[in-house]
Amino acid sequence: MPPPSDIVKVAIEWPGAFPKLMEIDQKKPLASIIREVCDGWSLSSPESYALQYADSTNFYITEKNRNEIKNGAILRLAASPAQTAQGLHERIQSSSMDARLEALKDLAKHSRDITFAQEFINLDGISLLTQMVESGSERYQKLQKIMKPCFGDMLSFTLTAFVELMDHGIVSWDTFSVAFIKKIASYVNKTATDVSVSQRSLAILESMVLNSYDLYQKVAQEITIGQLMPHLQGSDPEIQTYTIAVINALFLKAPDDKRQEIANILAQKQLRSIILSHVIRGNRTILTEMAHQLYVLQVLTFNLLEDRMMTKMDPQDQSQRDIIFELRRIAFDADLEPSNSGSIEKRKSMYTRDYKKLGFINHVNPAMDFTETPPGMLALDNMLYFAKNHQDAYIRIVLENSSREDKHECPFGRSSIELTRMLCEILKVGELPSETCNEFHPMFFTHDRSFEEFFCICIQLLNKTWKEMRATSEDFNKVMQVVKEQIMRALTTKPNSLDQFKSKLQNLSYTEILKIRQSERMNQEDFQSRPILELREKIQPEILELVKQQRLNRLCEGTCFRKISSRRRQDKFWYCRLSPNHKVLHYGDQEENPHGEVPHESLQDKLPVADIKAIVTGKDCPHMKEKGALKQNKEVLELAFSILYDPDDSLNFIAPDKHEYCVWTDGLNALLGKEMMSELTKNDLDTLLSMEMKLRLLDLENIQIPEAPPPIPKEPSNYDFVYDCN
């Protein structure tokens, strides 16, 4: 008799018959199980049938995925994938419009299953769909006036099926013709196109650009930024998201020499102001995917600065030296002096003096200050922008510091170089956008030269903080640390404009930073005397148990995880939670990100905690080894973890953020009786220990502690005020 783990109890449905309850022996071939089911209903040709889940997915059960069947699952006996694919292949070519529409609708639904997709693709189904797209619209153009809704639905289902089939990665994107690309592009370029058709067309164009360099070139010839702009000004948030995704894809895959050209076109077309007006400041809530696309656009825009950031100054280049001369001229108004007055030596001496006042490290040849990368020439660009566009502030800072004692002078040149380097680090200039981040800053969409304006605000902050700290040249690094803290704290508030960012900084003076630091220090205060350390050691296990219980409670509430695919916008979700008795993990797919907890009864898949062999993270995860592109993404790696269980299966996760990653890895380790190692646990432990220590060491002087406990109050006359949480 096989062990219980090989037997799965399920219910199997068949139209017009009562469901059949049966036990499936996982050691028996799937074909013999199907034959047994068919015999029970007296059905011939069992090879023409297959089992599939009776839920909304309708996914087929195969020898590869049969181990995922759980006790209590409801299955359905249905036509085999090959027969279903053959039937749909014929039906979508029907001469009847209604029959064709229903067939395409079914095809769009079935195409989500990779087993069916493989069979349909083997029938050259992708080519059939592309031919329908290329020639179909002309054939039905006459019908559009009398049956426009039918035509729009038909095309929408065709494109949906195409997208779902291509998502499985079975067929290469490089195989598509220019005619097909032109047809898809035409649906995007026509403003009167059906909304769902526009959505699918934009999704297809984005996938083409991201997955094939040849297709990128062809798409770039068919789609212009100007043709995409009207979609951003429309009212459909999904189309807006898809449109920015296409722009990002074109931006990301463009050769280095073309990216600046695209950026110039985007500036001419006023993309930033359109996004600001119709998306960021629109009347709709910015959803997660839109926030991600705005973040990607922000990163790609700032990455245009990388070239200047990594370019060293050439001391022999006269045009570059002229920028330094211009900085000197604006600051000291050299036009008032005769340009040829005095000897060459006298002029050199005067220049050296002025360069010293400007705060350069190398007074004789300040060009040498810009030979280190980063920030390279980007620092000089920022200084010139500040000098020309905020001339009064620039002159005030330079003259104010040149009148101080040498040791109290805030060197404008050195400060600008170090500040530019710091801002590049904060904004991660030069790094590829993360696949999971959606932290964009609205204020960077309020100005065409947002980075330069950002610098101008921060250089004035630096000078102000220098004065508040009464700093000397030895304190330079300390001042930079304070300035970085001020900038980071202001950025976390997500100001809506540069002016709002500036006002946030005004409230974060050096005095305020000291207060914040002092408050944080007091909260993290740790006494080092021996009795205190002994007390800490005594109560630590109790606090650790409290943290452990919190982690397990969070696992019982569950979390929604995202499945990463090649096209991030249409990612699917799945939910996982621990049972209240801490013995089983319940999980299952979700159509969209659920609001609130998902009942464990609605999650069909189960994994007993006793079957878990190990927890692995980062590069050790099976799904990180499989996804070659993801391995290069540091942020995704930091959020990945997997549960390994018998025989050689795994449950793979990518946490929505670092906090959830720590909660789940800690909770799973606690379930297995292992140590919780995350930074979150360390911080929680320190915080709770500190609070408990302070409570136990509270000064009780002059506080009368009664010897007898207080009397128990009388029972109330009724209990109508009690709220039943259940």
Side-chain angles (χ1 to χ4, degrees), residues 9-46:
K9 296 181 180 181
V10 299
I12 300 179
E13 297 177 342
W14 174 252
F18 287 108
K20 182 188 294 290
L21 299 176
M22 68 177 293
E23 294 183 349
I24 291 179
D25 185 350
Q26 292 286 37
K27 287 186 175 180
K28 290 175 64 175
L30 192 58
S32 64
I33 294 171
I34 293 171
R35 187 180 301 111
E36 185 182 333
V37 174
C38 289
D39 290 344
W41 276 309
S42 302
L43 299 173
S44 59
S45 304

Short mmCIF file of all heavy atoms in Angstrom, two decimals, residues 9-46:
data_model
loop_
_atom_site.label_atom_id
_atom_site.label_comp_id
_atom_site.label_asym_id
_atom_site.label_seq_id
_atom_site.Cartn_x
_atom_site.Cartn_y
_atom_site.Cartn_z
N LYS A 9 -6.79 13.11 -2.47
CA LYS A 9 -8.25 13.00 -2.60
C LYS A 9 -8.79 14.23 -3.32
O LYS A 9 -8.57 15.36 -2.87
CB LYS A 9 -8.88 12.87 -1.21
CG LYS A 9 -8.48 11.59 -0.48
CD LYS A 9 -9.15 11.50 0.89
CE LYS A 9 -8.74 10.21 1.60
NZ LYS A 9 -9.38 10.08 2.92
N VAL A 10 -9.51 14.00 -4.42
CA VAL A 10 -10.01 15.11 -5.23
C VAL A 10 -11.44 14.83 -5.65
O VAL A 10 -11.95 13.71 -5.52
CB VAL A 10 -9.14 15.32 -6.50
CG1 VAL A 10 -7.71 15.66 -6.13
CG2 VAL A 10 -9.19 14.09 -7.40
N ALA A 11 -12.08 15.86 -6.19
CA ALA A 11 -13.40 15.72 -6.83
C ALA A 11 -13.21 16.04 -8.31
O ALA A 11 -12.50 16.99 -8.66
CB ALA A 11 -14.40 16.67 -6.20
N ILE A 12 -13.83 15.23 -9.18
CA ILE A 12 -13.69 15.44 -10.62
C ILE A 12 -15.08 15.67 -11.22
O ILE A 12 -16.01 14.90 -10.99
CB ILE A 12 -13.01 14.24 -11.30
CG1 ILE A 12 -11.61 14.04 -10.69
CG2 ILE A 12 -12.90 14.45 -12.80
CD1 ILE A 12 -10.85 12.87 -11.26
N GLU A 13 -15.20 16.77 -11.99
CA GLU A 13 -16.48 17.15 -12.59
C GLU A 13 -16.53 16.72 -14.06
O GLU A 13 -15.50 16.61 -14.73
CB GLU A 13 -16.67 18.67 -12.51
CG GLU A 13 -16.75 19.22 -11.10
CD GLU A 13 -16.87 20.74 -11.09
OE1 GLU A 13 -16.55 21.36 -12.13
OE2 GLU A 13 -17.28 21.30 -10.06
N TRP A 14 -17.74 16.49 -14.52
CA TRP A 14 -18.00 16.25 -15.95
C TRP A 14 -19.38 16.81 -16.25
O TRP A 14 -20.34 16.56 -15.50
CB TRP A 14 -17.94 14.75 -16.26
CG TRP A 14 -18.33 14.39 -17.67
CD1 TRP A 14 -19.49 13.77 -18.06
CD2 TRP A 14 -17.60 14.67 -18.86
NE1 TRP A 14 -19.51 13.62 -19.43
CE2 TRP A 14 -18.36 14.17 -19.96
CE3 TRP A 14 -16.38 15.28 -19.12
CZ2 TRP A 14 -17.93 14.27 -21.28
CZ3 TRP A 14 -15.95 15.38 -20.44
CH2 TRP A 14 -16.72 14.88 -21.50
N PRO A 15 -19.53 17.62 -17.30
CA PRO A 15 -20.83 18.26 -17.58
C PRO A 15 -21.98 17.26 -17.64
O PRO A 15 -21.89 16.21 -18.29
CB PRO A 15 -20.61 18.92 -18.95
CG PRO A 15 -19.13 19.13 -19.03
CD PRO A 15 -18.51 17.99 -18.28
N GLY A 16 -23.06 17.55 -16.90
CA GLY A 16 -24.24 16.71 -16.91
C GLY A 16 -24.18 15.52 -15.98
O GLY A 16 -25.10 14.69 -15.97
N ALA A 17 -23.09 15.39 -15.21
CA ALA A 17 -22.96 14.24 -14.30
C ALA A 17 -22.62 14.74 -12.91
O ALA A 17 -22.12 15.86 -12.73
CB ALA A 17 -21.89 13.28 -14.81
N PHE A 18 -22.89 13.89 -11.90
CA PHE A 18 -22.51 14.24 -10.54
C PHE A 18 -20.99 14.17 -10.41
O PHE A 18 -20.35 13.28 -11.00
CB PHE A 18 -23.16 13.29 -9.54
CG PHE A 18 -24.63 13.51 -9.37
CD1 PHE A 18 -25.56 12.60 -9.87
CD2 PHE A 18 -25.10 14.64 -8.71
CE1 PHE A 18 -26.91 12.81 -9.72
CE2 PHE A 18 -26.46 14.86 -8.55
CZ PHE A 18 -27.37 13.95 -9.06
N PRO A 19 -20.41 15.08 -9.64
CA PRO A 19 -18.95 15.02 -9.46
C PRO A 19 -18.53 13.69 -8.86
O PRO A 19 -19.24 13.10 -8.04
CB PRO A 19 -18.66 16.18 -8.50
CG PRO A 19 -19.81 17.12 -8.68
CD PRO A 19 -21.00 16.25 -8.98
N LYS A 20 -17.37 13.22 -9.29
CA LYS A 20 -16.86 11.93 -8.83
C LYS A 20 -15.76 12.19 -7.79
O LYS A 20 -14.81 12.94 -8.04
CB LYS A 20 -16.29 11.16 -10.01
CG LYS A 20 -15.76 9.76 -9.66
CD LYS A 20 -15.03 9.16 -10.86
CE LYS A 20 -15.97 8.89 -12.02
NZ LYS A 20 -16.90 7.78 -11.75
N LEU A 21 -15.92 11.60 -6.60
CA LEU A 21 -14.88 11.69 -5.57
C LEU A 21 -13.95 10.50 -5.75
O LEU A 21 -14.40 9.34 -5.82
CB LEU A 21 -15.49 11.67 -4.17
CG LEU A 21 -16.44 12.82 -3.84
CD1 LEU A 21 -17.06 12.63 -2.45
CD2 LEU A 21 -15.72 14.15 -3.89
N MET A 22 -12.66 10.76 -5.83
CA MET A 22 -11.74 9.65 -6.02
C MET A 22 -10.37 9.98 -5.43
O MET A 22 -10.05 11.15 -5.15
CB MET A 22 -11.61 9.29 -7.50
CG MET A 22 -10.92 10.34 -8.36
SD MET A 22 -10.75 9.78 -10.08
CE MET A 22 -9.59 8.43 -9.90
N GLU A 23 -9.59 8.95 -5.25
CA GLU A 23 -8.23 9.09 -4.76
C GLU A 23 -7.27 8.90 -5.93
O GLU A 23 -7.35 7.91 -6.66
CB GLU A 23 -7.93 8.06 -3.66
CG GLU A 23 -8.75 8.28 -2.40
CD GLU A 23 -8.39 7.28 -1.32
OE1 GLU A 23 -7.67 6.31 -1.63
OE2 GLU A 23 -8.82 7.47 -0.16
N ILE A 24 -6.36 9.86 -6.08
CA ILE A 24 -5.37 9.79 -7.17
C ILE A 24 -4.06 9.29 -6.59
O ILE A 24 -3.53 9.86 -5.63
CB ILE A 24 -5.18 11.16 -7.83
CG1 ILE A 24 -6.43 11.55 -8.60
CG2 ILE A 24 -3.99 11.15 -8.76
CD1 ILE A 24 -6.35 12.92 -9.27
N ASP A 25 -3.56 8.23 -7.17
CA ASP A 25 -2.25 7.70 -6.78
C ASP A 25 -1.20 8.40 -7.64
O ASP A 25 -1.13 8.20 -8.86
CB ASP A 25 -2.22 6.18 -7.01
CG ASP A 25 -0.91 5.56 -6.50
OD1 ASP A 25 0.01 6.34 -6.17
OD2 ASP A 25 -0.82 4.32 -6.45
N GLN A 26 -0.39 9.22 -7.01
CA GLN A 26 0.59 10.02 -7.75
C GLN A 26 1.69 9.16 -8.37
O GLN A 26 2.46 9.66 -9.19
CB GLN A 26 1.21 11.09 -6.83
CG GLN A 26 0.26 12.18 -6.40
CD GLN A 26 -0.05 13.16 -7.52
OE1 GLN A 26 -0.16 12.79 -8.68
NE2 GLN A 26 -0.20 14.43 -7.16
N LYS A 27 1.77 7.90 -8.00
CA LYS A 27 2.78 7.03 -8.60
C LYS A 27 2.29 6.44 -9.92
O LYS A 27 3.09 5.97 -10.73
CB LYS A 27 3.16 5.90 -7.63
CG LYS A 27 4.02 6.37 -6.46
CD LYS A 27 4.47 5.18 -5.64
CE LYS A 27 5.44 5.63 -4.54
NZ LYS A 27 5.89 4.49 -3.72
N LYS A 28 0.98 6.44 -10.14
CA LYS A 28 0.44 5.88 -11.38
C LYS A 28 0.57 6.89 -12.52
O LYS A 28 0.48 8.10 -12.29
CB LYS A 28 -1.04 5.51 -11.17
CG LYS A 28 -1.27 4.33 -10.25
CD LYS A 28 -2.74 4.10 -9.99
CE LYS A 28 -3.49 3.72 -11.25
NZ LYS A 28 -4.92 3.39 -10.94
N PRO A 29 0.76 6.43 -13.73
CA PRO A 29 0.82 7.37 -14.87
C PRO A 29 -0.48 8.15 -14.99
O PRO A 29 -1.58 7.62 -14.70
CB PRO A 29 1.03 6.45 -16.08
CG PRO A 29 1.58 5.18 -15.52
CD PRO A 29 0.99 5.04 -14.15
N LEU A 30 -0.38 9.40 -15.42
CA LEU A 30 -1.55 10.26 -15.54
C LEU A 30 -2.54 9.68 -16.56
O LEU A 30 -3.76 9.77 -16.37
CB LEU A 30 -1.12 11.67 -15.96
CG LEU A 30 -2.16 12.78 -15.86
CD1 LEU A 30 -2.69 12.91 -14.45
CD2 LEU A 30 -1.55 14.11 -16.31
N ALA A 31 -2.02 9.04 -17.61
CA ALA A 31 -2.89 8.48 -18.65
C ALA A 31 -3.80 7.39 -18.08
O ALA A 31 -4.99 7.31 -18.44
CB ALA A 31 -2.04 7.91 -19.79
N SER A 32 -3.27 6.57 -17.18
CA SER A 32 -4.09 5.50 -16.60
C SER A 32 -5.15 6.07 -15.66
O SER A 32 -6.26 5.54 -15.54
CB SER A 32 -3.21 4.49 -15.86
OG SER A 32 -2.56 5.10 -14.77
N ILE A 33 -4.83 7.17 -14.99
CA ILE A 33 -5.82 7.82 -14.11
C ILE A 33 -6.96 8.39 -14.96
O ILE A 33 -8.15 8.24 -14.62
CB ILE A 33 -5.15 8.93 -13.27
CG1 ILE A 33 -4.14 8.32 -12.30
CG2 ILE A 33 -6.19 9.75 -12.52
CD1 ILE A 33 -3.27 9.33 -11.58
N ILE A 34 -6.62 9.02 -16.09
CA ILE A 34 -7.65 9.58 -16.99
C ILE A 34 -8.51 8.44 -17.56
O ILE A 34 -9.73 8.57 -17.67
CB ILE A 34 -6.98 10.40 -18.11
CG1 ILE A 34 -6.30 11.65 -17.51
CG2 ILE A 34 -8.01 10.81 -19.16
CD1 ILE A 34 -5.45 12.42 -18.49
N ARG A 35 -7.85 7.33 -17.90
CA ARG A 35 -8.61 6.18 -18.42
C ARG A 35 -9.61 5.68 -17.37
O ARG A 35 -10.75 5.37 -17.68
CB ARG A 35 -7.63 5.07 -18.81
CG ARG A 35 -8.33 3.88 -19.53
CD ARG A 35 -7.34 2.80 -19.92
NE ARG A 35 -6.31 3.31 -20.79
CZ ARG A 35 -5.02 3.45 -20.44
NH1 ARG A 35 -4.64 3.12 -19.21
NH2 ARG A 35 -4.13 3.92 -21.28
N GLU A 36 -9.17 5.65 -16.12
CA GLU A 36 -10.04 5.20 -15.04
C GLU A 36 -11.24 6.13 -14.87
O GLU A 36 -12.37 5.68 -14.67
CB GLU A 36 -9.22 5.15 -13.75
CG GLU A 36 -9.96 4.59 -12.54
CD GLU A 36 -9.10 4.62 -11.28
OE1 GLU A 36 -7.84 4.58 -11.41
OE2 GLU A 36 -9.67 4.69 -10.19
N VAL A 37 -10.99 7.44 -14.99
CA VAL A 37 -12.08 8.41 -14.87
C VAL A 37 -13.06 8.24 -16.03
O VAL A 37 -14.29 8.25 -15.85
CB VAL A 37 -11.51 9.85 -14.85
CG1 VAL A 37 -12.64 10.88 -14.87
CG2 VAL A 37 -10.64 10.07 -13.61
N CYS A 38 -12.53 8.07 -17.25
CA CYS A 38 -13.39 7.91 -18.43
C CYS A 38 -14.23 6.63 -18.32
O CYS A 38 -15.42 6.62 -18.68
CB CYS A 38 -12.54 7.86 -19.70
SG CYS A 38 -11.80 9.46 -20.14
N ASP A 39 -13.62 5.57 -17.82
CA ASP A 39 -14.36 4.32 -17.66
C ASP A 39 -15.53 4.50 -16.70
O ASP A 39 -16.61 3.91 -16.89
CB ASP A 39 -13.43 3.21 -17.15
CG ASP A 39 -12.43 2.79 -18.21
OD1 ASP A 39 -12.64 3.12 -19.39
OD2 ASP A 39 -11.40 2.15 -17.85
N GLY A 40 -15.32 5.31 -15.68
CA GLY A 40 -16.39 5.54 -14.71
C GLY A 40 -17.59 6.22 -15.31
O GLY A 40 -18.72 6.05 -14.83
N TRP A 41 -17.39 7.01 -16.36
CA TRP A 41 -18.50 7.69 -17.04
C TRP A 41 -18.79 7.05 -18.41
O TRP A 41 -19.48 7.65 -19.24
CB TRP A 41 -18.19 9.18 -17.19
CG TRP A 41 -18.52 9.98 -15.98
CD1 TRP A 41 -19.69 10.00 -15.30
CD2 TRP A 41 -17.67 10.92 -15.31
NE1 TRP A 41 -19.65 10.88 -14.24
CE2 TRP A 41 -18.40 11.48 -14.22
CE3 TRP A 41 -16.37 11.37 -15.50
CZ2 TRP A 41 -17.88 12.41 -13.35
CZ3 TRP A 41 -15.85 12.31 -14.64
CH2 TRP A 41 -16.59 12.82 -13.57
N SER A 42 -18.19 5.90 -18.65
CA SER A 42 -18.39 5.15 -19.91
C SER A 42 -18.04 5.99 -21.13
O SER A 42 -18.79 6.06 -22.12
CB SER A 42 -19.86 4.67 -20.01
OG SER A 42 -20.19 3.86 -18.91
N LEU A 43 -16.92 6.68 -21.05
CA LEU A 43 -16.45 7.51 -22.17
C LEU A 43 -15.35 6.76 -22.91
O LEU A 43 -14.42 6.24 -22.30
CB LEU A 43 -15.90 8.85 -21.67
CG LEU A 43 -16.89 9.75 -20.91
CD1 LEU A 43 -16.17 10.95 -20.32
CD2 LEU A 43 -18.00 10.22 -21.84
N SER A 44 -15.47 6.71 -24.24
CA SER A 44 -14.44 6.05 -25.04
C SER A 44 -13.33 7.03 -25.40
O SER A 44 -13.45 8.24 -25.17
CB SER A 44 -15.07 5.47 -26.31
OG SER A 44 -15.68 6.51 -27.06
N SER A 45 -12.25 6.53 -25.96
CA SER A 45 -11.10 7.34 -26.39
C SER A 45 -10.54 8.20 -25.26
O SER A 45 -10.55 9.44 -25.32
CB SER A 45 -11.47 8.23 -27.57
OG SER A 45 -11.98 7.48 -28.64
N PRO A 46 -10.06 7.58 -24.17
CA PRO A 46 -9.53 8.38 -23.05
C PRO A 46 -8.35 9.25 -23.44
O PRO A 46 -8.08 10.26 -22.78
CB PRO A 46 -9.11 7.31 -22.03
CG PRO A 46 -9.00 6.04 -22.79
CD PRO A 46 -9.99 6.13 -23.91
#
